[in-house]
């Protein structure tokens, strides 16, 4: 069918009282009760979701899943305070902002808290990995598309691409809550160092020609998860960029997920 599922704007409180705006897509033709849920955090992270057509959300909803797209703290498009609330919160409150949405939807009876998956691309891919490594027993599985998995390694790669003393690098270190890209505290939020944290299976999907987050980040995640005895699969996408711009690739991604 060509029906587009309805997307509604909601908001919910995070554990510390921060209000998280979000979009909820409910599958057509199903009662909004006890649904399986996919949490779909956006990339950026200083970007945001809007209530318009989103191919991943609609693809998942067409298969009967509710989909939650939170504009977690640190998202752009609101005000400076909203962005700054995310500084130093990678893997911390930017992460719990996502899972606090599950508790909210479960309290409304809309979703089944025991059937939740996390899926995302880029920063959302980092959040998907963090949901089943830094966090435990929240998600049944994770699908990470073009994820950052080793934060310190990613910053080193960025430094090579853009130079050490650039606004790009300052942007990242500020978000990550450190002053220096070699800060060991970055290891606390790197999912490759917490690979044994949970036992949810992980699917990694990455374009071979990605110039925004290198393919090696997914290879590192696969190695770390395998070494921890986790069920992990890496799907390399040939001739594909960071944004999964080709239709065939998007269909392949949804089928695999």
């Amino acid at each position: 069918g060509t029906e587009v599922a309805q997307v509604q704007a909601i908001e919910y409180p995070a554990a510390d009282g921060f209000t998280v705006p979000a979009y909820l897509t409910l599958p057509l033709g199903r009662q909004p009760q006890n649904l399986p849920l996919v949490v779909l955090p956006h990339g950026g992270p200083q970007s945001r979701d809007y209530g318009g057509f989103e191919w991943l959300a609609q693809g998942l909803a067409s298969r009967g899943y509710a989909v939650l797209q939170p504009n977690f703290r640190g998202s752009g498009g609101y005000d400076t305070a909203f962005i700054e609330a995310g500084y130093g919160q990678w893997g911390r409150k930017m992460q719990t902002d996502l899972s606090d949405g599950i508790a909210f939807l479960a309290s409304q009876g809309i979703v089944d808290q025991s059937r939740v998956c996390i899926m995302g691309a880029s920063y959302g891919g980092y959040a998907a990995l963090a949901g089943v490594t830094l966090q435990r027993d929240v998600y049944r599985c994770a699908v990470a598309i073009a994820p950052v998995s080793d934060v310190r390694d990613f910053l080193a790669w960025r430094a090579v691409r853009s130079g050490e003393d650039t606004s790009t690098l300052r942007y990242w270190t500020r978000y990550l809550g450190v002053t220096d890209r070699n800060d060991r505290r970055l290891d606390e939020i790197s999912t490759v160092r917490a690979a044994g944290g949970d036992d949810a299976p992980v699917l990694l999907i990455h374009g071979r020609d990605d110039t925004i987050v290198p393919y090696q980040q997914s290879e590192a995640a696969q190695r770390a998860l395998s070494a921890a005895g986790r069920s992990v699969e890496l799907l390399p996408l040939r001739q594909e960029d960071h944004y999964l711009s080709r239709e065939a690739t998007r269909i392949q991604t949804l089928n695999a997920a």
Side-chain angles (χ1 to χ4, degrees):
T2 52
E3 301 88 359
V4 174
Q6 187 198 344
V7 183
Q8 61 193 73
I10 63 166
E11 46 181 44
Y12 59 84
D16 66 354
F18 188 90
T19 299
V20 181
Y23 293 96
L24 177 64
T25 306
L26 294 172
L28 288 165
R30 292 192 67 176
Q31 284 295 319
Q33 289 165 342
N34 266 353
L35 293 168
L37 173 71
V38 178
V39 177
L40 187 63
H42 61 71
Q46 197 180 318
S47 167
R48 61 161 291 182
D49 278 316
Y50 294 89
F53 181 85
E54 212 293 328
W55 67 274
L56 269 175
Q58 288 293 332
L60 292 163
S62 76
R63 295 298 175 265
Y65 297 98
V67 182
L68 179 67
Q69 295 170 272
N71 284 328
F72 46 85
R73 72 192 74 198
S75 298
Y78 295 95
D79 58 19
T80 312
F82 200 99
I83 294 168
E84 289 174 351
Y87 289 174
Q89 296 302 328
W90 273 56
R92 297 181 176 103
K93 287 182 178 176
M94 282 165 70
Q95 194 67 32
T96 50
D97 280 355
L98 307 175
S99 42
D100 288 343
I102 305 169
F104 172 77
L105 292 174
S107 74
Q108 310 264 303
I110 297 170
V111 305
D112 177 353
Q113 207 158 355
S114 69
R115 291 187 299 155
V116 184
C117 179
I118 185 166
M119 178 175 185
S122 197
Y123 172 80
Y126 165 84
L129 287 175
V132 295
T133 56
L134 302 178
Q135 290 184 292
R136 293 163 189 256
D137 305 326
V138 179
Y139 302 100
R140 291 283 292 277
C141 60
V143 181
I145 304 167
V148 171
S149 63
D150 185 325
V151 182
R152 204 144 49 94
D153 211 50
F154 172 70
L155 287 180
W157 180 81
R158 288 257 37 139
V160 169
R161 310 263 308 188
S162 65
E164 285 289 350
D165 187 38
T166 63
S167 56
T168 309
L169 216 57
R170 283 198 298 276
Y171 166 84
W172 286 111
T173 50
R174 193 168 56 201
Y175 246 103
L176 291 160
V178 294
T179 49
D180 171 42
R181 69 176 177 81
N182 293 309
D183 193 316
R184 295 277 163 190
R185 279 178 305 172
L186 292 172
D187 295 344
E188 294 167 18
I189 55 169
S190 282
T191 62
V192 290
R193 290 181 171 74
D198 198 327
D199 57 3
V202 178
L203 172 62
L204 299 156
I205 301 175
H206 213 130
R208 292 301 311 233
D209 301 338
D210 194 331
T211 57
I212 310 289
V213 176
Y215 182 77
Q216 289 72 21
Q217 288 279 322
S218 276
E219 291 181 317
Q222 182 189 34
R223 282 196 304 273
L225 290 160
S226 292
R230 300 281 291 270
S231 166
V232 57
E233 188 184 334
L234 171 55
L235 172 62
L237 302 175
R238 310 270 160 213
Q239 287 144 14
E240 187 51 275
D241 61 15
H242 187 63
Y243 300 102
L244 305 196
S245 298
R246 292 163 55 240
E247 179 190 7
T249 304
R250 292 184 170 192
I251 292 168
Q252 187 184 2
T253 295
L254 279 165
N255 284 336

